[in-house]
Amino acid sequence: YVLHNHDTILDNQGKRYHLRIRDLPENEKPREKLLKHGLLALSTSELLAVVLNTGTKREGVLEMSGRIIKDYGEGGIMSQKNPQALSKDLDVPIGKSLQIVACAELGRRFFQRNNSSLPTIRTAREVYEYVKDMHNLSKEHLRGIYLNTHYKVIHDEIISIGTVDASIIHPREVFKPAVEHSAVA
């Protein structure tokens, strides 16, 4: 049988029933909605439900995705890079947090590749222009500027702040961000 309205039939009034994907009409299921109407027709919660694919025994995927967006916020969840912390914070299985972190990283990487506003650095003169804001500093600062294959800045950070005329660092402090951000220069 098929229910043509959204009324839920409960035989046990004491328990709360949460709608599952299978309970929704075909045109309201996130994947079918995406196929039929495109990305703009889905809410952020529904998009996350498509990424997560399934829920857990205690929580359906729609309920889980809605709770995640509500608890963490739309921007906050995509900036999280640690799946263990995300899993612990949101009380979701590690597999689900891995899916969220991987999806967010893909988005960041594609955005970085397509972002033409990133500065390009090819010469010492361009480096000088890029770091002009450092000329009045009272202490030595070691700054890492990491580039991709197209000489676009993909990451910029202060690695060490030293004394008036010296800064002591270990090479791993320079190379760790380079490896994390897949820098080539």
Side-chain angles (χ1 to χ4, degrees):
Y1 68 92
V2 175
L3 293 175
H4 294 287
N5 59 21
H6 298 305
D7 294 340
T8 304
I9 301 169
L10 299 175
D11 60 352
N12 184 355
Q13 297 296 329
K15 289 187 177 181
R16 186 172 176 190
Y17 183 78
H18 298 285
L19 285 176
R20 306 261 182 205
I21 294 282
R22 66 176 175 256
D23 298 329
L24 295 174
E26 287 297 313
N27 61 345
E28 289 186 23
K29 293 179 180 179
R31 284 190 284 183
E32 287 76 2
K33 196 173 177 182
L34 176 62
L35 283 171
K36 189 173 183 181
H37 303 289
L39 289 168
L40 297 176
L42 273 71
S43 67
T44 305
S45 174
E46 289 172 323
L47 285 171
L48 185 58
V50 171
V51 169
L52 295 176
N53 197 30
T54 61
T56 61
K57 288 183 180 182
R58 63 185 169 96
E59 189 175 39
V61 69
L62 288 174
E63 186 181 7
M64 179 188 297
S65 63
R67 180 181 59 82
I68 289 171
I69 295 298
K70 183 179 150 237
D71 290 353
Y72 227 85
E74 289 183 20
I77 192 153
M78 292 302 137
S79 64
Q80 179 60 264
K81 294 182 179 183
N82 184 343
Q84 288 89 2
L86 191 64
S87 176
K88 184 179 175 192
D89 290 347
L90 296 174
D91 192 29
V92 295
I94 190 72
K96 300 292 182 193
S97 63
L98 287 168
Q99 287 173 290
I100 294 169
V101 170
C103 187
E105 182 61 23
L106 275 173
R108 274 191 295 277
R109 289 182 185 184
F110 289 139
F111 176 75
Q112 285 178 349
R113 285 191 191 133
N114 295 330
N115 192 348
S116 59
S117 67
L118 296 173
T120 302
I121 297 179
R122 293 180 190 267
T123 65
R125 167 66 62 198
E126 290 171 339
V127 172
Y128 175 77
E129 292 296 323
Y130 184 77
V131 297
K132 242 184 201 177
D133 60 324
M134 296 179 69
H135 79 279
N136 287 332
L137 297 175
S138 60
K139 296 181 181 180
E140 284 281 331
H141 286 64
L142 177 66
R143 186 169 172 180
I145 303 169
Y146 302 95
L147 309 175
N148 64 14
T149 55
H150 301 288
Y151 303 102
K152 300 274 188 185
V153 176
I154 56 173
H155 186 67
D156 181 0
E157 73 176 58
I158 304 282
I159 296 171
S160 172
I161 300 174
T163 62
V164 173
D165 63 350
S167 185
I168 300 171
I169 60 139
H170 193 277
R172 75 173 158 255
E173 295 168 352
V174 175
F175 290 109
K176 184 179 178 192
V179 172
E180 286 176 353
H181 296 281
S182 303
V184 297

